[in-house]
Amino acid sequence: MRRRWTAVAVAVAVAGSVVAGSNPAAATPASPADTGATAAGANVNGVFQPDERTPVTDTTSFPGSATVLLTFTGGQCTGFMISERTVATAGHCVHTGAGGQWRSNLMAYPGYDGDRAPYGSCRARAAFAASGWTRSSDPGQDYGAVQLDCAIGNATGWYPLGWTNESVTGACTRSQGYPADRRSTQWRSQDHIRAETASILYHQHDTSSGQDGSPLYTVDPDEWCPTRPKPIPLPDPDPDPWTVFGIHTSGPYGGGPGAVNNLAIRITQAAYRDLMSWR
């Protein structure tokens, strides 16, 4: 059966060439202080006034602990733990897209808080992305993952994943991540799904550069859902309140609902299987 995803072992660049099997620890990691840029093409501002992001004041409590500042040479994104050693994120945060290349010196800082890394950091051991992204930059396939060289998720916890073929328009959601304009601190927002296709979810979570790869996760409608209360119809009839069913990838883009909303890839059954296999 043809694989729908591609993977790469992290290697060290030497004189413009890639030395397969090299020790990732030999690479120079990007640090939060060095990441003023974000993934190329990910700089669209998706803040809808008024900006309703709120700071996550305790990043050592779940789910803040499992939300990850992901850095690489020249930029940063957000990711989220999905196992003891794997971070899910947007595909363009690990690969630049069709005809492009894999990001170098990927580092993960779970629960990072401005100038403090309460769980330390881990280097990437391998990176994965959907082949629809690496081969054709398909926005509906813009998801990936980073396998780390340590089991830091045992300390941070990790998000559960879910998928559904049913409509989720109107469902209330939360999202959190690391906007580059907020000095590597973690911020959270609340919204609902405004529109959808088979592969894209449209939302108005306030986001800016650096938040690509942030999770969109379910909430208990009784806890917060003032707009249009509606549960996410996941296969699990009683999902955890932090079940991720979308990954933020872009600010407003293209026509239709994308012109006035932010974009997230929908975790389909196929994407769910990929992400689970990368854990």
Side-chain angles (χ1 to χ4, degrees):
M1 181 176 66
R2 186 176 181 181
R3 296 194 308 177
R4 289 173 291 100
W5 49 271
T6 54
V8 63
V10 176
V12 182
V14 179
S17 63
V18 175
V19 183
S22 296
N23 180 3
T28 301
S31 69
D34 298 330
T35 54
T38 58
N43 296 320
V44 177
N45 193 320
V47 175
F48 300 87
Q49 299 301 325
D51 186 344
E52 296 180 336
R53 289 175 292 182
T54 59
V56 178
T57 56
D58 181 7
T59 61
T60 61
S61 296
F62 187 87
S65 59
T67 306
V68 178
L69 173 63
L70 191 64
T71 70
F72 47 85
T73 299
Q76 74 174 63
C77 278
T78 297
F80 55 98
M81 302 299 302
I82 58 172
S83 77
E84 67 273 13
R85 61 175 68 251
T86 304
V87 179
T89 188
H92 65 258
C93 295
V94 297
H95 190 280
T96 59
Q101 60 189 1
W102 296 94
R103 303 287 181 187
S104 59
N105 297 329
L106 283 157
M107 294 285 293
Y109 300 83
Y112 196 82
D113 188 22
D115 58 359
R116 187 173 66 95
Y119 301 98
S121 63
C122 298
R123 292 180 172 86
R125 184 171 65 180
F128 306 85
S131 60
W133 176 256
T134 61
R135 296 175 184 173
S136 59
S137 298
D138 179 356
Q141 297 288 306
D142 188 3
Y143 62 91
V146 179
Q147 192 175 94
L148 306 176
D149 66 352
C150 64
I152 202 166
N154 286 329
T156 66
W158 57 84
Y159 286 86
L161 299 172
W163 63 273
T164 180
N165 291 324
E166 298 184 43
S167 172
V168 296
T169 299
C172 290
T173 58
R174 282 200 178 98
S175 184
Q176 57 199 82
Y178 287 93
D181 62 343
R182 299 297 173 89
R183 300 182 61 83
S184 298
T185 51
Q186 193 178 133
W187 292 71
R188 177 182 293 137
S189 63
Q190 300 181 149
D191 195 51
H192 62 275
I193 303 302
R194 307 298 180 114
E196 66 188 290
T197 68
S199 59
I200 300 291
L201 302 174
Y202 299 94
H203 64 91
Q204 291 189 6
H205 286 282
D206 291 317
T207 65
S208 62
S209 298
Q211 286 178 263
D212 289 26
S214 298
L216 265 65
Y217 57 91
T218 57
V219 298
D220 183 344
D222 294 330
E223 177 190 354
W224 174 83
C225 205
T227 310
R228 285 174 285 176
K230 179 179 179 179
I232 307 296
L234 300 172
D236 183 349
D238 187 25
D240 291 331
W242 304 283
T243 299
V244 177
F245 68 103
I247 303 175
H248 171 70
T249 57
S250 173
Y253 172 80
V260 293
N261 293 292
N262 289 332
L263 281 66
I265 69 102
R266 182 186 197 127
I267 296 182
T268 60
Q269 185 176 18
Y272 175 85
R273 288 173 176 167
D274 281 348
L275 290 164
M276 294 296 284
S277 73
W278 298 338
R279 300 197 313 163

